[in-house]
Amino acid sequence: MTPARKNISAFEIMGDYWSLLIVRELMYGASSWSAFSAVISIPPSTLSNRLAKLVAAGCVVKSEQPKRAKGTYKLTEAGKGLFPILIVAREWQLRWDLRPGAFVSPWVHECGAPLHCKTTCMACYGEVLSQDILFKGEALAHEHGGTLNHRTSNKINVDLRTSNAKIAKITIFLGDQKALKVMDALLRGYNRFDHIQKWTGLHPAVLSARLRKLQLLDLCVTRLYQDLPDRFLYITSDAGKELIGLIVQLMEWDAGAKGAGSARALLHHKPCSHALKVALICRACEGHITYENTSVNL
Ligand SMILES: [Zn+2]
Ligand SMILES: [Zn+2]
């Protein structure tokens, strides 16, 4: 039986480093503890905790098997709905992190081409660009689930699919919910420290750390707008602007979870002035990309 989707946001699910890696492995067809721990260097208690959270979120079901104490896990429809988020994240990685050794999932579209996607507006078929998005009803647009109780792992090389500890930049970013939240604020046009702090609700020290992290990942740059005391504007870089597709896909999943396009109505596409509903399109054949019409060659 598939449990109902709980009121948990995609930002909370994917904004956890471990859950992100587990979901990725589930997409590849992994279903057992041994399969997860073969490629993720994850402590058993953490694995157990994250699988339980994914089950509670309605993204994963566990089948009890009497002979195998730990059972097997598979994605629910809601879990499969996280696929576009992983794919836009992967696309960003392919484009903006060229260091060798950082792992990128080898997905192939049904047309036979290695997967390259673009996020397009379903009303006008235009590619979704950050400057073309209008965020409406700011205060309500995004309910940050409040809890944020996952500790970000300080360990490197926990993703054994990477070589030489080169964890993909997108994984370092996406798997840190607080960094994600700060980037979301920047993409909405909040550029001053106090404004970002107010919108995200993060402690100033935590916000400073995440802004530094975003700069190290080349996602934002600073510009001095006042001196004595020095005050900076935080401006998204070109690489940062391209994360809009990821933010939109996260919001799409939340809209699907809540039904009736609740969050979707808050995003508008300026070129066609429609409420934004997006499709993930293959750059090779212009066909839609879904979990079902792609395959992975590991
Ligand atoms: Zn449009
Ligand atoms: Zn294609």
Side-chain angles (χ1 to χ4, degrees):
M1 194 182 82
T2 303
R5 275 166 89 160
K6 299 294 187 310
N7 190 16
I8 181 167
S9 78
F11 286 76
E12 282 177 86
I13 298 166
M14 302 302 266
D16 172 61
Y17 188 81
W18 297 111
S19 304
L20 176 58
L21 296 185
I22 294 167
V23 168
R24 183 192 71 188
E25 294 304 318
L26 284 158
M27 299 270 176
Y28 297 161
S31 62
S32 66
W33 269 57
S34 54
F36 298 129
S37 38
V39 285
I40 313 169
S41 180
I42 184 169
S45 60
T46 309
L47 178 55
S48 162
N49 168 286
R50 295 309 196 273
L51 284 168
K53 284 188 173 173
L54 287 168
V55 169
C59 294
V60 171
V61 277
K62 181 181 180 184
S63 345
E64 298 295 346
Q65 294 180 352
K67 286 178 191 163
R68 295 178 59 185
K70 286 175 174 140
T72 59
Y73 297 85
K74 66 175 195 195
L75 292 166
T76 61
E77 285 309 306
K80 288 176 191 167
L82 297 167
F83 183 69
I85 299 170
L86 279 181
I87 293 305
V88 288
R90 172 188 177 276
E91 189 70 24
W92 185 94
Q93 175 66 24
L94 282 169
R95 205 164 133 64
W96 294 101
D97 182 8
L98 302 173
R99 298 167 305 149
F103 178 73
V104 178
S105 313
W107 289 95
V108 175
H109 193 227
E110 62 181 355
C111 68
L115 202 61
H116 276 287
C117 70
K118 59 181 173 185
T119 304
T120 60
C121 167
M122 285 180 82
C124 70
Y125 303 104
E127 187 164 353
V128 172
L129 305 172
S130 69
Q131 67 267 26
D132 292 340
I133 306 280
L134 186 64
F135 290 90
K136 292 191 155 187
E138 284 290 74
L140 298 170
H142 178 201
E143 295 144 29
H144 291 295
T147 49
L148 288 172
N149 53 1
H150 294 309
R151 283 184 65 96
T152 306
S153 174
N154 292 320
K155 278 196 203 164
I156 54 166
N157 214 14
V158 292
D159 181 2
L160 301 177
R161 290 192 185 276
T162 67
S163 65
N164 304 319
K166 289 201 176 88
I167 307 284
K169 272 191 187 180
I170 195 64
T171 309
I172 298 169
F173 166 71
L174 178 57
D176 177 349
Q177 194 186 338
K178 289 170 186 157
L180 198 52
K181 199 167 169 178
V182 174
M183 196 67 212
D184 190 6
L186 293 176
L187 285 166
R188 284 161 194 265
Y190 295 105
N191 297 120
R192 285 174 44 169
F193 190 93
D194 50 341
H195 293 168
I196 302 166
Q197 206 255 316
K198 198 171 169 199
W199 193 79
T200 59
L202 293 173
H203 185 278
V206 173
L207 175 56
S208 290
R210 291 316 188 281
L211 284 166
R212 266 199 307 280
K213 180 171 179 172
L214 295 183
Q215 288 173 71
L216 288 171
L217 290 170
D218 300 318
L219 298 175
C220 83
V221 293
T222 55
R223 190 180 298 157
L224 192 69
Y225 75 93
Q226 180 196 303
D227 50 13
L228 302 171
D230 290 353
R231 290 192 199 283
F232 297 94
L233 288 180
Y234 297 87
I235 314 282
T236 49
S237 64
D238 288 346
K241 287 193 179 85
E242 285 202 6
L243 289 169
I244 190 69
L246 180 61
I247 299 290
V248 168
Q249 291 292 351
L250 288 159
M251 291 180 74
E252 278 278 313
W253 191 88
D254 288 353
K258 286 173 190 152
S262 53
R264 185 174 297 148
L266 299 167
L267 284 179
H268 278 242
H269 195 222
K270 290 184 204 166
C272 68
S273 49
H274 280 83
L276 186 65
K277 182 163 171 28
V278 295
L280 205 57
I281 299 294
C282 169
R283 286 191 184 272
C285 72
E286 300 279 322
H288 282 242
I289 293 168
T290 64
Y291 182 57
E292 286 72 27
N293 71 19
T294 47
S295 54
V296 67
N297 295 323
L298 288 172

